[in-house]
C-alpha cells in the first residue's frame, strides 16, 4: 500500500509538498522540485520562504502561521514564487493542514504553475481597456482611470483635470488612407 501510494505521488503530474509547522520541507515529489527549477536533492533542507517572492512573503507567512493555530485561512490562493536563479513564477496552491489527533503538525500542499494564465489575463485586461489601433485608453479604460483619479482626489483632498481631445475628420482619414496613416 505504501509503495503504491508513493508511486502515485511521485508520478503525479502535480507538484506536491508536505511541510512542518515551521514551513520546512519534509516531503516533496520530483514535480515540485521541477516546478521551482531545482533538482530533487537541492530542495533538501529548504523551506517556503526560499520559494516565495519577497512581495508575497509576508502574506504567505501570515496564512501559514494562522493555519498552524487553527485559524480560518484560505485553502487555495495565489502567490508569486521564485525559481532557482530568482526567475518569477505565478503559483496557485491548495493547502490542507496535517494533524495528529487535535494537533497540527504541518501541511500538505498541491502547486500549479499559473504563469501563462496570468499573462493571458493581463493581456485580456489590457485589451479591454485600450484601443488596439492607437494603444490609448478606450472608453472603458478612460472611465476606470477617471474613477481611480477621483478616488485619489477625494482621499487627498486635491482636485484633478481631465483634458479631452477630439480629432475632426479622423474617420475620413482612416477611410481614405487606412489605419496605418
Amino acid at each position: 500500500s505504501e509503495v503504491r501510494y508513493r508511486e502515485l505521488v511521485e508520478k503525479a503530474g502535480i507538484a506536491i509538498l508536505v511541510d512542518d509547522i515551521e514551513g520546512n520541507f519534509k516531503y516533496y515529489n520530483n514535480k515540485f522540485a521541477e516546478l521551482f527549477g531545482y533538482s530533487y536533492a537541492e530542495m533538501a533542507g529548504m523551506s517556503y520562504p526560499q520559494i516565495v517572492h519577497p512581495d508575497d512573503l509576508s502574506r504567505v507567512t501570515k496564512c501559514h502561521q494562522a493555519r498552524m493555530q487553527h485559524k480560518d485561512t484560505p485553502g487555495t490562493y495565489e502567490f508569486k514564487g521564485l525559481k532557482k536563479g530568482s526567475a518569477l513564477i505565478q503559483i496557485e496552491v491548495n493547502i490542507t493542514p496535517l494533524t495528529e489527533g487535535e494537533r497540527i503538525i504541518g501541511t500538505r500542499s498541491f502547486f500549479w504553475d499559473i504563469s501563462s494564465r496570468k499573462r493571458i489575463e493581463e493581456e485580456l485586461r489590457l485589451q479591454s481597456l485600450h484601443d488596439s489601433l492607437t494603444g490609448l485608453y478606450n472608453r472603458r479604460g478612460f472611465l476606470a482611470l477617471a474613477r481611480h483619479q477621483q478616488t485619489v482626489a477625494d482621499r487627498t483632498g486635491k482636485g484633478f483635470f481631465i483634458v479631452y481631445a477630439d480629432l475632426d475628420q479622423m474617420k475620413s482619414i482612416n477611410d481614405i488612407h487606412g489605419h496605418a496613416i
Side-chain angles (χ1 to χ4, degrees), residues 30-175:
N30 283 317
K31 189 73 174 176
F32 180 78
E34 218 175 86
L35 179 64
F36 290 97
Y38 292 92
S39 71
Y40 188 85
E42 288 175 313
M43 298 228 71
M46 290 179 70
S47 60
Y48 76 85
Q50 294 168 278
I51 61 165
V52 177
H53 190 276
D55 290 350
D56 290 343
L57 185 57
S58 174
R59 181 173 54 87
V60 170
T61 298
K62 285 177 187 171
C63 283
H64 183 77
Q65 290 170 344
R67 190 173 290 104
M68 295 303 110
Q69 298 169 4
H70 293 277
K71 293 182 180 171
D72 189 30
T73 58
T76 300
Y77 60 90
E78 299 173 2
F79 68 90
K80 291 182 286 231
L82 289 176
K83 291 183 79 132
K84 182 179 179 179
S86 298
L88 185 66
I89 183 174
Q90 297 288 334
I91 298 291
E92 181 177 317
V93 62
N94 177 277
I95 304 174
T96 304
L98 294 175
T99 59
E100 279 184 358
E102 295 294 313
R103 192 172 64 108
I104 294 178
I105 60 168
T107 63
R108 178 180 50 241
S109 305
F110 301 95
F111 293 77
W112 293 267
D113 178 355
I114 59 167
S115 299
S116 60
R117 181 180 90 193
K118 291 305 233 180
R119 273 191 300 278
I120 291 168
E121 286 174 359
E122 181 60 16
E123 287 173 20
L124 290 173
R125 188 187 72 76
L126 289 174
Q127 287 175 11
S128 75
L129 299 175
H130 293 84
D131 176 72
S132 61
L133 178 63
T134 64
L136 299 173
Y137 280 114
N138 61 17
R139 181 183 183 92
R140 183 181 296 120
F142 166 76
L143 291 173
L145 182 62
R147 278 191 294 272
H148 174 74
Q149 291 302 318
Q150 181 66 53
T151 301
V152 171
D154 291 345
R155 188 174 59 230
T156 61
K158 296 180 180 177
F160 68 99
F161 292 95
I162 294 177
V163 177
Y164 176 81
D166 183 20
L167 301 179
D168 291 336
Q169 307 302 317
M170 184 58 115
K171 181 174 176 5
S172 62
I173 293 170
N174 283 341
D175 291 346

